[in-house]
Amino acid sequence: MINVHKVSKRFNGTNAVNEVSFEVQEGETLILLGTSGCGKTTTLRMINRLTEPSSGAISIDGKSILTLNPETLRRSIGYVLQGNGLFPHYTVAENIAIVPKLLNWDKLKILHRTQELLDKFALPYKEFAGAYPSELSGGQQQRVGLARALAANPPVLLMDEPFGALDPITRSDVRKEFKELDELKKRTIVMVTHDVQEAIELGSRICLMDKGRIMQIGTKTDLMLQPANEVVTKFFNHYRNAVADAYRQLPANN
C-alpha cells in the first residue's frame, strides 16, 4: 500500500531523516516511535508531501507521490494533528465537511456523512453539529479532528501525535475508542508517537527511530524480545513500566 524507499530529508545540510525505508500493508497500523527530534514527524509529513523529500522514493498503491498534484494527494489522505487543528470559527459540521466540499460532494451526501461520523464518535448531530471547537472538551475536539480526517473515506490515514495534547485519563479513553472504531479497521494507518504504551496498544508493527534512522521495525514482541541493537534495548528498558502497563491493557489473545 505505502512504500518508502531510501528517503532522506536534509535541513541546512544536515540529514533529519537518513535513508529510511519501510512498507505499510493495506489495513495495517504502523507506529513511528521515538524520542523528540528522531525524524518521525518529518518522515510522516513526507508521505503526503507537506515536507518534500530530498532524496529517495515514496509510492502509494504503486504510484509515486511525486506524480500527483500535492493538493490532490492530500485530499486523498486523512491527516490528524496533535491538538486537532480544527478551524475555530467553523462549526463542528463545517470542520468535518471541509474535504468533501473540496471534492465537490453534494450537500445531502455531506450531511449524511457528517451525521454518520458524529454518531459513531458518540457526538449526537443535533447537539454538536452547530457547536464551535471552543465549546468542546479536549477529547471531543480530538474526536471531531479524527472525524474530519475520515470524512471523505480516505484509504490512508496519517496521525501525528493525535492524542498528545490530552490529559492522561482522556487520552486513555480516546485510545480505547480508537481501537474499537470500525471506521479505522479498514484504513491503512501511519501514526507518530513518543508514547511506548500507545505504540504497543495500537500498532500492528512498530518502527523505532533514532537520529533520523530506523533502528528496528517489527511487532512489539520482536522489538522487546529480539532487539536489533543496543539502542532498541535501552529504549524499551527505559520505558519498561509503560510497557508493562500497555500489556495489561491488551486482550488476552494479544
Side-chain angles (χ1 to χ4, degrees):
M1 182 71 176
I2 302 173
N3 185 286
V4 176
H5 181 67
K6 291 189 176 180
V7 168
S8 297
K9 179 62 184 180
R10 288 180 290 277
F11 293 105
N12 299 320
T14 300
N15 276 349
V17 175
N18 199 340
E19 293 201 337
V20 163
S21 297
F22 59 81
E23 292 186 9
V24 190
Q25 301 301 317
E26 185 174 359
E28 180 180 26
T29 297
L30 179 71
I31 305 291
L32 301 181
L33 176 66
T35 56
S36 296
C38 71
K40 56 189 186 295
T41 291
T42 300
T43 300
L44 185 82
R45 288 170 59 89
M46 287 192 283
I47 295 174
N48 67 353
R49 296 185 65 185
L50 282 173
T51 298
E52 295 285 356
S54 301
S55 61
I58 301 173
S59 61
I60 298 176
D61 273 344
K63 182 178 291 186
S64 169
I65 63 169
L66 297 180
T67 65
L68 301 172
N69 175 279
E71 286 75 24
T72 302
L73 173 69
R74 289 172 201 141
R75 291 172 192 173
S76 69
I77 296 175
Y79 191 63
V80 185
L81 299 165
Q82 180 177 349
N84 68 68
L86 299 176
F87 292 104
H89 301 301
Y90 282 23
T91 66
V92 165
E94 289 169 340
N95 267 285
I96 293 172
I98 288 171
V99 173
K101 282 185 176 179
L102 291 172
L103 296 174
N104 296 314
W105 285 22
D106 66 62
K107 290 183 179 179
L108 187 59
K109 184 177 179 181
I110 291 174
L111 174 62
H112 286 165
R113 181 60 173 157
T114 302
Q115 289 175 327
E116 176 186 34
L117 285 168
L118 287 176
D119 286 344
K120 287 182 176 182
F121 281 95
L123 300 168
Y125 183 85
K126 288 184 179 180
E127 182 179 351
F128 290 95
Y132 289 88
S134 62
E135 300 174 291
L136 307 178
S137 70
Q140 289 169 339
Q141 289 178 19
Q142 201 60 43
R143 292 181 184 97
V144 174
L146 186 51
R148 182 178 65 179
L150 295 170
N153 277 316
V156 173
L157 184 64
L158 306 180
M159 308 181 75
D160 188 4
E161 297 276 7
F163 315 125
L166 303 177
D167 64 85
I169 294 174
T170 303
R171 185 171 183 153
S172 178
D173 290 343
V174 173
R175 275 207 308 259
K176 289 176 184 176
E177 293 175 8
F178 179 94
K179 287 187 289 186
E180 296 167 3
L181 193 65
D182 64 340
E183 278 281 343
L184 295 172
K185 292 176 181 176
K186 54 190 176 184
R187 314 286 171 188
T188 302
I189 300 172
V190 183
M191 184 175 120
V192 163
T193 186
H194 65 274
D195 188 311
V196 176
Q197 186 170 346
E198 205 158 83
I200 290 170
E201 288 184 26
L202 301 179
S204 308
R205 288 187 301 144
I206 296 170
C207 172
L208 182 65
M209 297 184 66
D210 183 64
K211 297 178 181 177
R213 294 183 180 273
I214 292 175
M215 296 293 102
Q216 188 173 354
I217 301 178
T219 65
K220 51 187 173 285
T221 303
D222 292 336
L223 271 69
M224 285 182 286
L225 298 185
Q226 297 179 309
N229 54 48
E230 189 176 353
V231 172
V232 182
T233 300
K234 286 183 176 179
F235 185 90
F236 282 96
N237 281 343
H238 181 75
Y239 292 103
R240 58 185 177 274
N241 290 334
V243 169
D245 288 342
Y247 266 93
R248 282 194 286 269
Q249 298 295 322
L250 292 174
N253 60 355
N254 277 279

